[in-house]
Amino acid sequence: MNPLSIRQRVIAVCMLVCCIPMAGSAFGSAASRIQQSQALYDKKEYQKALEELDKLDAQISGAPDVRRLRIRALLRLGNPNDALTHYDELAAVLKRDDPSILREISLGFVLLLTKDMREQMRGAAYTALKEWHSAEAIPFLEEGLSDGSGLVRALAAEGLAKLDGGRRSAQFRKALGDQAVLVKEAVLKGFAKSGDASVLPLIEPLLKDPEARIRVATAQVLCNLKRANGCRLLFQHAKAPNPDERTSAIRALVESKPRESLPVLTELRDAKQPSVRGAVATGLAHVPAEEAVGALTRLLRDPIPPVRTAAAVSLGQLREFDARTPLNKALDDRDPAVRAFIIGALLGQGERYEVVAEPVRTLTNTKEPAVRAAVARALGNVVKSNREPAQSVLMLLIQDTVPRVRIAATKSMAKVDDMRAIPLLKQGLHDADDAVRATAGGALLKLVPSNE
């Protein structure tokens, strides 16, 4: 809702107040106070606007548009908690949600954490903004590029890289000079998606960067821009002795040349370094071929748990092929976290919930929060036929005592239930943990309609 319409609606309330044929001077004073509050709000004097609203009697201050003005003033003051309390009262009066106000409150909980002193909380906020996938997030993500933490700046850069407008941002291009490798890499990956040849003068010097990941990301941009030397360099990097360089090249190759990368992936699936085998397992999800299923089935028996996890996730993503047989055989994996990801892969493949019901029950009762969180994420992969039993388990996990589990369950519930999850996500805004509230707010931003 734009400021003009807010003003018009508040003026309408004032006119109504003035027309009530009782205690004329008192109501005239109320109308004047409401207009004064709106004027103060328009001048960004939000605290004074609230002070004027506090002088109204209960009947007048309870009018929906007066409540909306109060809520917006509280949000501008960085107080989404009190704004939520008043929103609950507004929704009760209206007997429905106000989508515009609910979106503003949801964003308020996210933005509050962007200024938090704790890096973890700022990370949760910028993760929510990154996952919003909306042009509305661009100015906030741009602010994140100046954060004191390289990890947080990388999240902001990754969010901008996903959006056309973000990739065109002057601040995004400037971030190519960031000292953090993760940030520079995120910017280059954004350039690789854009297909904008104007970035060539900016990136070509980076082919000699001391960091292998930056050289690989630069080669990927060149490859995507149809520069032959870029693709050739990617294949060379994939055979480099440095494991970090190889893994970065594998990720880039499967994104830019998925089918052509299969021989390289097949060759490297038995590499000595677990990180390389893990990158191969992840990369094979981008290669829709029977050979990929066979290679992943083999990697599903790898001695290293993260490699088996990557193989399971990729098998679940290859929806064109039925990979349930090897995944079912792996359900007894000795590592509980790996089993959780295998469950997610099976559910993504459309396996009947009854097949995984007992492992889900066992893992949700484990003492290890990371495993419970992995189960919560796995349940987000269910197809429509398995939605009800998955919902029941997520309802339990969303009440877990550990915030990271509640965060994972909140995200999965939003995926599984879509618009039906809005009431539950609204409850998440009341959670005792800041990061959970920001996660619920981010999910609501994606689900709540932008117009009334």
Side-chain angles (χ1 to χ4, degrees), residues 10-11 13-15 17-18 24-40 49 52-53 55-56 60 69:
V10 170
I11 290 174
V13 172
C14 296
M15 292 176 64
V17 168
C18 291
S25 60
F27 282 101
S29 175
S32 175
R33 205 174 297 286
I34 295 171
Q35 288 180 319
Q36 176 66 13
S37 298
Q38 179 64 56
L40 290 167
E52 288 299 311
L53 292 175
K55 297 174 184 177
L56 296 169
I60 302 300
L69 181 57

Side-chain angles (χ1 to χ4, degrees), residues 292-326:
V293 177
L296 287 167
T297 299
R298 182 171 176 171
L299 288 166
L300 203 54
R301 300 188 293 271
D302 194 275
I304 305 299
V307 178
R308 300 201 299 276
T309 293
V313 171
S314 289
L315 283 169
Q317 292 173 349
L318 287 173
R319 305 291 172 86
E320 303 92 334
F321 303 94
D322 188 347
R324 288 178 294 176
T325 298

Side-chain angles (χ1 to χ4, degrees), residues 2-3 14 31 33 37 44 55 93 118 131 169 175 193 221 241 248 256 279 298 306 314 336 379 403 409:
N2 60 55
C14 296
R33 205 174 297 286
S37 298
K44 300 183 179 181
K55 297 174 184 177
V93 170
R118 296 164 293 178
E131 295 175 352
S169 162
K193 292 177 183 177
V221 180
S248 296
S256 299
R298 182 171 176 171
S314 289
L379 292 170

Side-chain angles (χ1 to χ4, degrees), residues 137-196:
I138 290 175
F140 309 118
L141 291 168
E142 288 176 331
E143 288 183 20
L145 293 175
S146 61
D147 191 272
S149 162
L151 289 173
V152 174
R153 296 198 303 277
L155 287 170
E158 289 168 7
L160 289 167
K162 293 175 182 288
L163 302 165
D164 288 339
R167 293 191 289 267
R168 293 193 299 269
S169 162
Q171 290 94 318
F172 181 70
R173 289 195 173 203
K174 186 178 179 181
L176 191 61
D178 197 282
Q179 293 182 345
V181 172
L182 285 174
V183 179
K184 293 171 72 172
E185 187 179 33
V187 174
L188 287 166
K189 286 188 174 294
F191 290 165
K193 292 177 183 177
S194 69
D196 181 1

Side-chain angles (χ1 to χ4, degrees), residues 42-60:
D42 292 341
K43 291 191 291 184
K44 300 183 179 181
E45 297 182 29
Y46 305 120
Q47 186 58 50
K48 290 183 178 180
L50 286 175
E51 291 169 1
E52 288 299 311
L53 292 175
D54 286 340
K55 297 174 184 177
L56 296 169
D57 66 34
Q59 182 179 1
I60 302 300

Side-chain angles (χ1 to χ4, degrees), residues 331-405:
L331 257 181
D332 60 352
D333 193 284
R334 60 188 178 277
D335 187 287
V338 176
R339 288 205 301 276
F341 283 97
I342 290 170
I343 288 168
L346 280 167
L347 292 172
Q349 282 270 324
E351 182 61 276
R352 292 177 300 111
Y353 188 83
E354 291 79 4
V355 173
V356 300
E358 185 55 37
V360 167
R361 190 177 303 111
T362 300
L363 295 178
T364 52
N365 290 319
T366 185
K367 293 181 179 179
E368 184 54 56
V371 175
R372 300 199 303 275
V375 174
R377 287 192 293 271
L379 292 170
N381 294 327
V382 296
V383 297
K384 186 176 180 180
S385 58
N386 289 327
R387 191 170 64 203
E388 288 189 14
Q391 286 172 323
S392 299
V393 180
L394 286 171
M395 286 295 291
L396 294 174
L397 291 171
I398 216 163
Q399 302 172 56
D400 196 277
T401 56
V402 179
R404 67 184 295 187
V405 181

